Each structure stands twice: as structure tokens, then as C-alpha cells.
Amino acid sequence: MSKLTWSTFCGAYIEARSCERFASLAPYLDDELAKFYLSLLRSEARHYQDYLTLAAQIAAKDITPRVQAIGVTEGRLISEPDTELRFHSGVPAF
């Protein structure tokens, strides 16, 4: 896969995680702020789909297996303990 395809995968996952964050926070906010966060969620969801569409257009083959593999790996990395505190890492192991 090309570097451009990989960068679109990264963009898609960044946008997807933003969706998750907005969805997780919205129920705890006042109505006006929750409405704003849900509008951000919808926007990020469109961006996520745009990145995947772009990746599918520029890739030489079906991107589904690669996207799924990245998702599994990323999910593991953000849920396992990490020896360094990073923005998208798992629970700090110290």
C-alpha cells in the first residue's frame, strides 16, 4: 500500500476515535453543549467516511482487511498498559 493510502487510514482512525469521544461525553453535558458535541460527532463521522472513500479510490486492492487489521492493533494498543503516557495509549503502567 502506498504512503498516501496509509495516511488516509490514519486519518480515518483519528476521526473515528473523535466520534467515540464526543459520543461518550455528550450524555454528561448540558443540553446545549451536548447538542454541539453531537454535531461535532456527525462531522467527524463524515470525515471518517471521506478518508475511507479516498483510501478505497487510491488503493490497488480491497482495503477492508487492512482497515480491520489496523483497528484490531489500534484497539489493543489503546487498551493495554503502556510504560509511557501518550495521548492515544493505554492505561499508564507506572
Side-chain angles (χ1 to χ4, degrees):
M1 300 242 165
S2 71
K3 288 181 181 181
L4 182 56
T5 305
W6 280 107
S7 67
T8 59
F9 290 160
C10 291
Y13 272 96
I14 289 168
E15 301 298 320
R17 295 300 171 234
S18 294
C19 290
E20 291 172 349
R21 287 184 191 89
F22 291 134
S24 295
L25 292 171
Y28 300 99
L29 304 172
D30 64 66
D31 290 343
E32 184 177 352
L33 194 53
K35 183 179 176 181
F36 175 66
Y37 270 51
L38 292 174
S39 73
L40 292 174
L41 183 154
R42 287 188 293 276
S43 177
E44 298 296 276
R46 286 190 304 273
H47 298 158
Y48 163 74
Q49 290 299 323
D50 289 344
Y51 276 113
L52 290 182
T53 299
L54 178 60
Q57 289 172 352
I58 60 177
K61 58 185 177 180
D62 181 18
I63 65 169
T64 304
R66 178 59 60 194
V67 171
Q68 290 172 340
I70 292 169
V72 168
T73 300
E74 194 231 12
R76 181 180 50 79
L77 291 172
I78 63 174
S79 62
E80 291 180 349
D82 196 342
T83 58
E84 295 181 41
L85 181 58
R86 299 172 237 225
F87 188 70
H88 288 281
S89 64
V91 177
F94 45 85

Coordinates of all heavy atoms in Angstrom, one line a residue:
M1 N 0.8 -1.2 0.0 CA 0.0 0.0 0.0 C 0.9 1.2 0.0 O 1.9 1.3 0.6 CB -0.9 0.0 1.2 CG -1.8 -1.1 1.4 SD -3.5 -0.5 1.3 CE -4.4 -2.1 1.1
S2 N 0.4 2.3 -0.6 CA 1.2 3.5 -0.8 C 1.1 4.3 0.5 O 0.3 4.1 1.4 CB 0.6 4.4 -1.9 OG -0.7 4.9 -1.5
K3 N 2.1 5.2 0.7 CA 2.1 6.1 1.8 C 0.8 6.9 1.9 O 0.3 7.2 3.0 CB 3.3 7.0 1.8 CG 4.6 6.3 2.1 CD 5.7 7.3 2.1 CE 7.0 6.5 2.3 NZ 8.2 7.4 2.3
L4 N 0.2 7.3 0.8 CA -1.0 8.1 0.8 C -2.1 7.2 1.3 O -3.0 7.7 2.1 CB -1.3 8.6 -0.6 CG -2.6 9.4 -0.8 CD1 -2.5 10.6 0.2 CD2 -2.7 9.9 -2.2
T5 N -2.2 5.9 1.0 CA -3.2 5.1 1.5 C -3.1 4.9 3.0 O -4.1 5.0 3.7 CB -3.2 3.7 0.8 OG1 -3.2 3.8 -0.6 CG2 -4.3 2.8 1.2
W6 N -1.9 4.7 3.5 CA -1.6 4.6 4.9 C -2.1 5.8 5.6 O -2.6 5.8 6.7 CB -0.2 4.3 5.2 CG 0.2 2.8 5.0 CD1 0.9 2.3 3.9 CD2 -0.2 1.7 5.8 NE1 0.9 0.9 4.1 CE2 0.3 0.6 5.2 CE3 -1.0 1.6 6.9 CZ2 0.1 -0.7 5.7 CZ3 -1.2 0.3 7.5 CH2 -0.7 -0.8 6.9
S7 N -1.8 7.0 5.1 CA -2.1 8.2 5.8 C -3.6 8.4 5.8 O -4.2 9.0 6.8 CB -1.4 9.5 5.1 OG -1.9 9.7 3.8
T8 N -4.3 7.9 4.8 CA -5.8 8.0 4.8 C -6.4 7.1 5.9 O -7.3 7.4 6.6 CB -6.5 7.7 3.5 OG1 -6.1 6.5 3.0 CG2 -6.1 8.8 2.4
F9 N -5.7 5.9 6.1 CA -6.1 5.0 7.2 C -6.0 5.7 8.5 O -6.9 5.7 9.4 CB -5.3 3.7 7.2 CG -5.6 2.8 6.1 CD1 -4.7 1.8 5.7 CD2 -6.8 2.8 5.3 CE1 -4.9 0.9 4.7 CE2 -7.0 2.0 4.3 CZ -6.0 1.0 4.0
C10 N -4.8 6.3 8.7 CA -4.6 7.0 10.0 C -5.6 8.1 10.2 O -6.1 8.3 11.3 CB -3.2 7.6 10.0 SG -1.9 6.4 10.1
G11 N -5.9 8.9 9.1 CA -6.9 10.0 9.3 C -8.2 9.4 9.6 O -8.9 10.0 10.5
A12 N -8.6 8.3 9.0 CA -9.9 7.7 9.3 C -10.0 7.3 10.8 O -11.0 7.5 11.4 CB -10.1 6.5 8.4
Y13 N -8.9 6.6 11.3 CA -9.0 6.2 12.7 C -9.0 7.4 13.7 O -9.6 7.4 14.7 CB -7.9 5.2 13.0 CG -8.3 3.8 12.7 CD1 -8.0 3.2 11.5 CD2 -9.1 3.1 13.6 CE1 -8.5 2.0 11.2 CE2 -9.6 1.9 13.3 CZ -9.3 1.3 12.1 OH -9.8 0.1 11.8
I14 N -8.3 8.4 13.3 CA -8.3 9.6 14.2 C -9.7 10.2 14.3 O -10.2 10.5 15.3 CB -7.3 10.7 13.6 CG1 -5.9 10.2 13.9 CG2 -7.6 12.1 14.3 CD1 -4.8 11.1 13.1
E15 N -10.4 10.3 13.1 CA -11.7 10.8 13.1 C -12.7 9.9 13.8 O -13.6 10.3 14.5 CB -12.2 11.0 11.6 CG -11.3 12.0 10.8 CD -11.3 13.4 11.4 OE1 -12.4 13.9 11.9 OE2 -10.2 14.0 11.4
A16 N -12.5 8.6 13.6 CA -13.4 7.6 14.3 C -13.2 7.7 15.8 O -14.3 7.6 16.6 CB -13.1 6.2 13.8
R17 N -12.0 7.8 16.3 CA -11.8 8.0 17.8 C -12.4 9.3 18.3 O -13.0 9.3 19.4 CB -10.4 7.9 18.1 CG -9.7 6.5 17.8 CD -10.4 5.4 18.6 NE -10.0 4.1 18.1 CZ -10.7 3.1 17.7 NH1 -12.0 3.3 17.7 NH2 -10.3 2.0 17.3
S18 N -12.4 10.3 17.5 CA -13.1 11.6 17.9 C -14.6 11.3 18.0 O -15.2 11.8 19.0 CB -12.8 12.7 16.9 OG -11.4 13.0 16.9
C19 N -15.1 10.6 17.1 CA -16.6 10.3 17.2 C -16.9 9.6 18.6 O -17.8 9.9 19.2 CB -17.0 9.3 16.1 SG -17.0 10.1 14.5
E20 N -16.0 8.6 18.9 CA -16.2 7.9 20.2 C -16.2 8.8 21.4 O -17.0 8.7 22.3 CB -15.2 6.8 20.3 CG -15.4 5.7 19.3 CD -14.2 4.7 19.3 OE1 -13.2 4.9 20.0 OE2 -14.4 3.6 18.7
R21 N -15.2 9.7 21.3 CA -15.1 10.7 22.5 C -16.3 11.6 22.6 O -16.8 11.8 23.7 CB -13.8 11.5 22.3 CG -12.5 10.7 22.6 CD -11.3 11.6 22.5 NE -10.1 10.7 22.5 CZ -9.6 10.2 21.4 NH1 -10.0 10.5 20.2 NH2 -8.5 9.4 21.5
F22 N -16.7 12.1 21.5 CA -17.9 13.0 21.5 C -19.1 12.3 22.0 O -19.9 12.8 22.8 CB -18.1 13.7 20.2 CG -17.1 14.7 19.8 CD1 -16.5 14.7 18.5 CD2 -16.6 15.6 20.7 CE1 -15.5 15.6 18.2 CE2 -15.6 16.6 20.4 CZ -15.1 16.5 19.1
A23 N -19.3 11.0 21.5 CA -20.4 10.2 21.9 C -20.4 9.9 23.4 O -21.4 9.8 24.1 CB -20.5 9.0 21.1
S24 N -19.2 9.7 23.9 CA -19.0 9.3 25.3 C -19.3 10.5 26.2 O -19.8 10.4 27.4 CB -17.6 8.8 25.6 OG -17.4 7.6 24.9
L25 N -18.9 11.7 25.8 CA -19.0 12.9 26.6 C -20.4 13.5 26.6 O -20.9 14.0 27.6 CB -18.0 13.9 26.2 CG -16.5 13.6 26.4 CD1 -15.6 14.6 25.8 CD2 -16.3 13.6 27.9
A26 N -21.1 13.4 25.4 CA -22.3 14.1 25.2 C -23.4 13.8 26.3 O -24.1 14.8 26.8 CB -22.9 13.9 23.9
P27 N -23.6 12.6 26.8 CA -24.6 12.4 27.8 C -24.4 13.1 29.1 O -25.3 13.2 29.9 CB -24.6 10.8 28.0 CG -23.9 10.3 26.7 CD -23.0 11.4 26.3
Y28 N -23.2 13.5 29.4 CA -22.8 14.1 30.6 C -22.9 15.7 30.6 O -22.5 16.3 31.6 CB -21.5 13.7 31.1 CG -21.4 12.2 31.3 CD1 -20.9 11.3 30.3 CD2 -22.0 11.6 32.4 CE1 -20.9 10.0 30.5 CE2 -22.0 10.2 32.6 CZ -21.5 9.4 31.6 OH -21.5 8.0 31.7
L29 N -23.2 16.2 29.5 CA -23.2 17.7 29.3 C -24.6 18.3 29.3 O -25.6 17.5 29.1 CB -22.6 18.0 27.9 CG -21.2 17.4 27.7 CD1 -20.7 17.6 26.3 CD2 -20.2 18.0 28.7
D30 N -24.7 19.6 29.5 CA -26.0 20.2 29.5 C -26.5 20.1 28.0 O -25.7 19.8 27.1 CB -25.9 21.7 30.0 CG -25.0 22.5 29.1 OD1 -25.4 22.8 27.9 OD2 -24.0 23.0 29.5
D31 N -27.8 20.4 27.8 CA -28.4 20.1 26.6 C -27.7 20.9 25.4 O -27.5 20.3 24.3 CB -29.9 20.5 26.6 CG -30.7 19.5 27.5 OD1 -30.2 18.4 27.7 OD2 -31.8 19.9 27.8
E32 N -27.4 22.2 25.6 CA -26.8 23.0 24.6 C -25.5 22.5 24.2 O -25.2 22.3 23.0 CB -26.7 24.4 25.0 CG -26.2 25.4 23.9 CD -26.2 26.8 24.4 OE1 -26.7 27.1 25.4 OE2 -25.7 27.6 23.6
L33 N -24.6 22.2 25.1 CA -23.3 21.7 24.8 C -23.4 20.2 24.3 O -22.6 19.9 23.3 CB -22.4 21.7 26.1 CG -20.9 21.5 25.9 CD1 -20.4 22.5 24.8 CD2 -20.2 21.7 27.2
A34 N -24.3 19.4 24.8 CA -24.4 18.1 24.2 C -24.8 18.1 22.7 O -24.3 17.4 21.9 CB -25.5 17.3 25.0
K35 N -25.7 19.1 22.4 CA -26.1 19.2 21.0 C -25.0 19.6 20.1 O -24.8 19.1 19.0 CB -27.2 20.3 20.9 CG -27.8 20.5 19.6 CD -28.9 21.6 19.6 CE -29.4 21.9 18.2 NZ -30.4 22.9 18.2
F36 N -24.1 20.5 20.6 CA -22.9 20.9 19.9 C -22.0 19.7 19.7 O -21.5 19.5 18.6 CB -22.2 22.0 20.6 CG -20.9 22.4 20.0 CD1 -20.8 23.0 18.8 CD2 -19.7 22.2 20.7 CE1 -19.6 23.4 18.2 CE2 -18.5 22.6 20.2 CZ -18.4 23.2 18.9
Y37 N -21.7 18.9 20.8 CA -20.8 17.8 20.7 C -21.4 16.7 19.7 O -20.6 16.1 19.0 CB -20.6 17.1 22.1 CG -19.4 17.7 22.8 CD1 -19.3 19.1 23.0 CD2 -18.5 16.9 23.3 CE1 -18.2 19.6 23.6 CE2 -17.4 17.4 24.0 CZ -17.2 18.8 24.1 OH -16.2 19.3 24.8
L38 N -22.7 16.5 19.7 CA -23.3 15.6 18.7 C -23.1 16.1 17.3 O -23.0 15.3 16.4 CB -24.7 15.3 19.1 CG -24.9 14.6 20.4 CD1 -26.4 14.4 20.7 CD2 -24.3 13.2 20.3
S39 N -23.2 17.4 17.1 CA -22.9 18.0 15.8 C -21.5 17.7 15.4 O -21.2 17.4 14.2 CB -23.3 19.4 15.7 OG -22.3 20.2 16.3
L40 N -20.5 17.8 16.3 CA -19.1 17.5 16.0 C -19.0 16.0 15.7 O -18.2 15.7 14.8 CB -18.3 17.9 17.2 CG -18.1 19.4 17.5 CD1 -17.3 19.6 18.8 CD2 -17.5 20.1 16.4
L41 N -19.7 15.2 16.4 CA -19.7 13.8 16.2 C -20.1 13.5 14.7 O -19.4 12.7 14.0 CB -20.6 13.0 17.1 CG -20.6 11.5 17.1 CD1 -21.0 11.0 18.4 CD2 -21.5 11.0 16.0
R42 N -21.2 14.1 14.3 CA -21.6 13.8 12.9 C -20.6 14.3 11.9 O -20.3 13.7 10.9 CB -23.0 14.5 12.7 CG -24.1 13.8 13.4 CD -25.5 14.3 13.0 NE -25.7 15.7 13.5 CZ -26.1 16.0 14.7 NH1 -26.4 15.1 15.6 NH2 -26.3 17.3 15.1
S43 N -20.0 15.4 12.2 CA -18.9 16.0 11.3 C -17.7 15.0 11.2 O -17.2 14.7 10.1 CB -18.5 17.4 11.8 OG -17.5 17.9 11.0
E44 N -17.3 14.6 12.4 CA -16.1 13.6 12.4 C -16.5 12.3 11.7 O -15.6 11.7 11.0 CB -15.7 13.4 13.8 CG -15.2 14.6 14.6 CD -14.0 15.2 14.0 OE1 -12.9 14.8 14.3 OE2 -14.1 16.2 13.2
A45 N -17.7 11.9 11.8 CA -18.2 10.7 11.1 C -18.1 10.8 9.6 O -17.7 9.9 8.9 CB -19.6 10.3 11.5
R46 N -18.5 12.0 9.1 CA -18.3 12.3 7.7 C -16.9 12.3 7.3 O -16.5 11.7 6.2 CB -19.0 13.6 7.3 CG -20.5 13.6 7.3 CD -21.1 14.8 6.7 NE -20.7 16.1 7.4 CZ -21.2 16.6 8.4 NH1 -22.3 16.0 9.0 NH2 -20.8 17.7 9.0
H47 N -16.0 12.8 8.1 CA -14.6 12.9 7.8 C -14.0 11.4 7.7 O -13.2 11.1 6.8 CB -13.8 13.7 8.8 CG -14.2 15.1 8.8 ND1 -14.0 15.9 9.9 CD2 -14.8 15.9 7.9 CE1 -14.4 17.1 9.7 NE2 -14.9 17.1 8.5
Y48 N -14.4 10.6 8.7 CA -14.0 9.2 8.7 C -14.4 8.5 7.4 O -13.5 7.9 6.8 CB -14.7 8.6 10.0 CG -14.7 7.1 10.0 CD1 -13.5 6.4 10.2 CD2 -15.9 6.4 9.7 CE1 -13.6 5.0 10.3 CE2 -15.9 5.0 9.7 CZ -14.7 4.3 10.0 OH -14.8 2.9 10.0
Q49 N -15.6 8.7 7.0 CA -16.1 8.1 5.8 C -15.3 8.6 4.6 O -15.0 7.9 3.6 CB -17.6 8.2 5.6 CG -18.4 7.4 6.6 CD -18.1 5.9 6.4 OE1 -18.0 5.4 5.4 NE2 -18.1 5.2 7.6
D50 N -15.1 9.9 4.6 CA -14.3 10.5 3.5 C -12.9 9.9 3.3 O -12.5 9.6 2.2 CB -14.2 12.1 3.7 CG -15.5 12.8 3.5 OD1 -16.5 12.2 2.9 OD2 -15.6 14.0 3.9
Y51 N -12.2 9.8 4.5 CA -10.9 9.1 4.4 C -11.0 7.7 3.9 O -10.1 7.3 3.1 CB -10.3 9.1 5.8 CG -9.6 10.4 6.2 CD1 -10.1 11.2 7.2 CD2 -8.4 10.8 5.5 CE1 -9.4 12.4 7.6 CE2 -7.8 12.0 5.9 CZ -8.3 12.8 6.9 OH -7.6 13.9 7.2
L52 N -11.9 6.9 4.3 CA -12.0 5.6 3.8 C -12.4 5.5 2.4 O -11.9 4.7 1.6 CB -13.1 4.8 4.7 CG -12.7 4.5 6.1 CD1 -13.7 3.6 6.8 CD2 -11.3 3.7 6.1
T53 N -13.2 6.4 1.9 CA -13.6 6.5 0.5 C -12.3 6.8 -0.3 O -12.1 6.2 -1.4 CB -14.7 7.5 0.3 OG1 -15.8 7.1 1.0 CG2 -15.0 7.7 -1.2
L54 N -11.6 7.8 0.2 CA -10.3 8.2 -0.5 C -9.3 7.0 -0.6 O -8.8 6.7 -1.6 CB -9.7 9.4 0.1 CG -8.4 9.9 -0.5 CD1 -8.5 10.3 -1.9 CD2 -7.8 11.0 0.4
A55 N -9.2 6.3 0.5 CA -8.3 5.2 0.6 C -8.7 4.1 -0.4 O -7.9 3.5 -1.1 CB -8.2 4.6 2.0
A56 N -10.0 3.8 -0.5 CA -10.5 2.8 -1.4 C -10.3 3.2 -2.9 O -10.0 2.4 -3.7 CB -12.0 2.6 -1.2
Q57 N -10.4 4.5 -3.2 CA -10.1 5.0 -4.5 C -8.7 4.9 -5.0 O -8.4 4.7 -6.1 CB -10.6 6.5 -4.6 CG -12.1 6.6 -4.6 CD -12.5 8.1 -4.5 OE1 -11.7 9.0 -4.4 NE2 -13.8 8.3 -4.6
I58 N -7.8 5.1 -4.0 CA -6.3 5.1 -4.4 C -5.6 3.8 -4.2 O -4.6 3.6 -4.8 CB -5.6 6.2 -3.7 CG1 -5.6 6.1 -2.2 CG2 -6.1 7.6 -4.1 CD1 -4.8 7.1 -1.4
A59 N -6.3 2.9 -3.5 CA -5.6 1.6 -3.2 C -5.8 0.7 -4.5 O -6.7 0.8 -5.2 CB -6.3 0.9 -2.0
A60 N -4.8 -0.2 -4.6 CA -4.8 -1.1 -5.8 C -5.7 -2.3 -5.5 O -6.0 -3.1 -6.4 CB -3.4 -1.6 -6.1
K61 N -6.1 -2.5 -4.2 CA -7.0 -3.7 -3.9 C -7.9 -3.3 -2.8 O -7.9 -2.2 -2.2 CB -6.1 -4.9 -3.5 CG -5.2 -4.6 -2.3 CD -4.3 -5.8 -2.1 CE -3.3 -5.6 -1.0 NZ -2.4 -6.7 -0.8
D62 N -8.7 -4.2 -2.4 CA -9.7 -4.0 -1.3 C -9.0 -3.7 0.0 O -8.1 -4.3 0.4 CB -10.5 -5.3 -1.1 CG -11.6 -5.2 -0.1 OD1 -12.0 -4.1 0.3 OD2 -12.1 -6.3 0.4
I63 N -9.5 -2.6 0.6 CA -8.8 -2.1 1.8 C -9.4 -2.7 3.1 O -8.9 -2.5 4.2 CB -8.9 -0.5 1.9 CG1 -10.3 0.0 2.0 CG2 -8.2 0.1 0.7 CD1 -10.5 1.4 2.4
T64 N -10.5 -3.4 3.0 CA -11.2 -3.9 4.2 C -10.4 -4.7 5.1 O -10.3 -4.4 6.3 CB -12.5 -4.7 3.7 OG1 -13.3 -3.8 2.9 CG2 -13.3 -5.1 4.9
P65 N -9.6 -5.7 4.6 CA -8.8 -6.5 5.5 C -7.8 -5.6 6.3 O -7.5 -5.8 7.4 CB -8.1 -7.5 4.6 CG -9.0 -7.6 3.4 CD -9.6 -6.2 3.2
R66 N -7.2 -4.7 5.5 CA -6.1 -3.8 6.2 C -6.7 -2.9 7.2 O -6.2 -2.7 8.3 CB -5.4 -3.0 5.1 CG -4.3 -2.1 5.6 CD -3.2 -2.8 6.4 NE -2.6 -3.7 5.6 CZ -1.7 -4.7 6.1 NH1 -1.5 -4.8 7.3 NH2 -1.2 -5.5 5.2
V67 N -7.9 -2.3 6.9 CA -8.5 -1.4 7.8 C -8.9 -2.2 9.1 O -8.7 -1.7 10.2 CB -9.8 -0.8 7.2 CG1 -10.6 0.0 8.2 CG2 -9.4 0.2 6.1
Q68 N -9.4 -3.4 8.9 CA -9.8 -4.2 10.1 C -8.6 -4.6 10.9 O -8.6 -4.6 12.1 CB -10.5 -5.5 9.6 CG -11.9 -5.2 9.1 CD -12.6 -6.4 8.5 OE1 -12.0 -7.4 8.1 NE2 -13.9 -6.3 8.4
A69 N -7.5 -5.0 10.3 CA -6.2 -5.3 11.0 C -5.7 -4.1 11.8 O -5.3 -4.3 12.9 CB -5.2 -5.8 10.0
I70 N -5.7 -3.0 11.2 CA -5.3 -1.8 11.9 C -6.2 -1.5 13.1 O -5.7 -1.2 14.2 CB -5.2 -0.5 10.9 CG1 -4.1 -0.7 9.9 CG2 -5.0 0.8 11.7 CD1 -4.2 0.3 8.7
G71 N -7.5 -1.7 12.9 CA -8.4 -1.5 14.0 C -8.1 -2.4 15.2 O -8.2 -2.0 16.3
V72 N -7.9 -3.7 14.9 CA -7.6 -4.6 15.9 C -6.3 -4.2 16.7 O -6.2 -4.2 17.9 CB -7.4 -6.1 15.3 CG1 -6.9 -7.0 16.4 CG2 -8.8 -6.5 14.9
T73 N -5.3 -3.9 15.9 CA -4.0 -3.5 16.5 C -4.1 -2.2 17.3 O -3.7 -2.1 18.5 CB -2.9 -3.3 15.4 OG1 -2.7 -4.5 14.8 CG2 -1.6 -2.9 16.1
E74 N -4.8 -1.2 16.8 CA -5.0 0.0 17.5 C -5.8 -0.2 18.7 O -5.5 0.4 19.8 CB -5.7 1.0 16.6 CG -5.6 2.4 17.1 CD -6.9 3.1 17.1 OE1 -8.0 2.5 17.0 OE2 -6.9 4.3 17.4
G75 N -6.9 -1.0 18.7 CA -7.7 -1.3 19.9 C -6.8 -1.9 21.0 O -7.0 -1.6 22.1
R76 N -5.9 -2.8 20.6 CA -5.1 -3.5 21.5 C -4.1 -2.5 22.2 O -3.9 -2.4 23.4 CB -4.3 -4.6 20.9 CG -3.3 -5.4 21.8 CD -2.6 -6.5 21.1 NE -1.9 -6.1 19.9 CZ -0.7 -5.4 19.8 NH1 -0.1 -5.0 21.0 NH2 -0.2 -5.1 18.7
L77 N -3.5 -1.6 21.4 CA -2.6 -0.6 21.9 C -3.2 0.4 22.8 O -2.6 0.8 23.8 CB -1.9 0.1 20.7 CG -1.0 -0.7 19.8 CD1 -0.5 0.1 18.6 CD2 0.2 -1.2 20.6
I78 N -4.5 0.7 22.6 CA -5.1 1.7 23.5 C -5.7 1.1 24.7 O -6.1 1.8 25.6 CB -6.1 2.6 22.8 CG1 -7.3 1.9 22.2 CG2 -5.4 3.5 21.7 CD1 -8.3 2.7 21.6
S79 N -5.8 -0.2 24.8 CA -6.4 -0.9 25.9 C -5.4 -1.6 26.8 O -5.7 -1.9 28.0 CB -7.5 -1.8 25.5 OG -6.9 -2.9 24.7
E80 N -4.2 -1.8 26.4 CA -3.1 -2.4 27.2 C -2.3 -1.4 27.9 O -2.2 -0.2 27.5 CB -2.2 -3.2 26.3 CG -2.8 -4.4 25.6 CD -1.8 -5.2 24.7 OE1 -0.7 -4.6 24.4 OE2 -2.2 -6.3 24.3
P81 N -1.8 -1.8 29.1 CA -0.9 -0.8 29.8 C 0.3 -0.4 29.0 O 0.8 -1.2 28.1 CB -0.5 -1.7 31.0 CG -1.5 -2.7 31.2 CD -2.0 -3.0 29.8
D82 N 0.7 0.8 29.2 CA 1.8 1.4 28.4 C 2.8 2.0 29.4 O 2.4 2.6 30.4 CB 1.3 2.5 27.5 CG 2.3 2.9 26.4 OD1 3.5 2.6 26.6 OD2 1.8 3.5 25.4
T83 N 4.1 1.8 29.2 CA 5.1 2.3 30.1 C 5.3 3.8 29.9 O 5.9 4.5 30.7 CB 6.4 1.6 29.9 OG1 6.8 1.8 28.5 CG2 6.3 0.2 30.2
E84 N 4.7 4.4 28.9 CA 4.8 5.9 28.7 C 3.4 6.4 28.5 O 2.5 5.8 28.0 CB 5.6 6.2 27.4 CG 7.0 5.8 27.4 CD 7.7 6.1 26.1 OE1 7.5 7.2 25.6 OE2 8.5 5.3 25.6
L85 N 3.2 7.6 29.0 CA 1.9 8.3 28.9 C 1.9 9.0 27.6 O 2.6 9.9 27.3 CB 1.7 9.3 30.1 CG 0.4 10.0 30.1 CD1 -0.8 9.0 30.1 CD2 0.3 11.0 31.2
R86 N 1.0 8.5 26.7 CA 0.8 9.1 25.4 C -0.6 9.5 25.2 O -1.5 8.9 25.9 CB 1.2 8.2 24.3 CG 2.7 7.8 24.4 CD 2.9 6.7 23.4 NE 3.5 5.5 24.0 CZ 4.5 4.8 23.6 NH1 5.1 5.1 22.5 NH2 4.9 3.8 24.2
F87 N -1.0 10.4 24.3 CA -2.3 10.8 24.1 C -3.3 9.7 23.7 O -4.4 9.6 24.2 CB -2.4 11.9 23.0 CG -3.7 12.5 22.9 CD1 -4.2 13.4 23.9 CD2 -4.5 12.3 21.8 CE1 -5.4 14.0 23.8 CE2 -5.8 12.9 21.7 CZ -6.2 13.7 22.7
H88 N -2.8 8.7 22.9 CA -3.7 7.6 22.5 C -3.2 6.3 23.0 O -3.4 5.3 22.3 CB -3.8 7.6 20.9 CG -4.6 8.7 20.4 ND1 -6.0 8.7 20.4 CD2 -4.3 9.9 19.8 CE1 -6.5 9.9 19.9 NE2 -5.4 10.6 19.5
S89 N -2.6 6.3 24.1 CA -2.0 5.0 24.6 C -3.0 4.4 25.6 O -4.1 4.9 25.9 CB -0.7 5.2 25.2 OG -0.8 6.0 26.4
G90 N -2.6 3.2 26.1 CA -3.4 2.5 27.0 C -3.2 3.1 28.4 O -2.6 4.2 28.6
V91 N -3.7 2.4 29.4 CA -3.6 2.8 30.8 C -2.1 2.9 31.2 O -1.3 1.9 30.9 CB -4.3 1.8 31.7 CG1 -4.1 2.2 33.2 CG2 -5.8 1.8 31.3
P92 N -1.6 4.0 31.8 CA -0.2 4.0 32.2 C 0.2 2.8 33.1 O -0.6 2.5 34.0 CB -0.1 5.3 32.9 CG -1.2 6.2 32.4 CD -2.3 5.2 32.1
A93 N 1.3 2.2 32.9 CA 1.8 1.1 33.6 C 2.7 1.4 34.8 O 3.3 0.6 35.4 CB 2.5 0.1 32.7
F94 N 2.7 2.7 35.1 CA 3.6 3.1 36.3 C 2.8 3.5 37.5 O 1.7 3.7 37.5 CB 4.6 4.2 35.8 CG 3.9 5.3 35.1 CD1 3.3 6.4 35.7 CD2 4.0 5.4 33.7 CE1 2.8 7.5 35.0 CE2 3.4 6.4 33.0 CZ 2.8 7.4 33.6

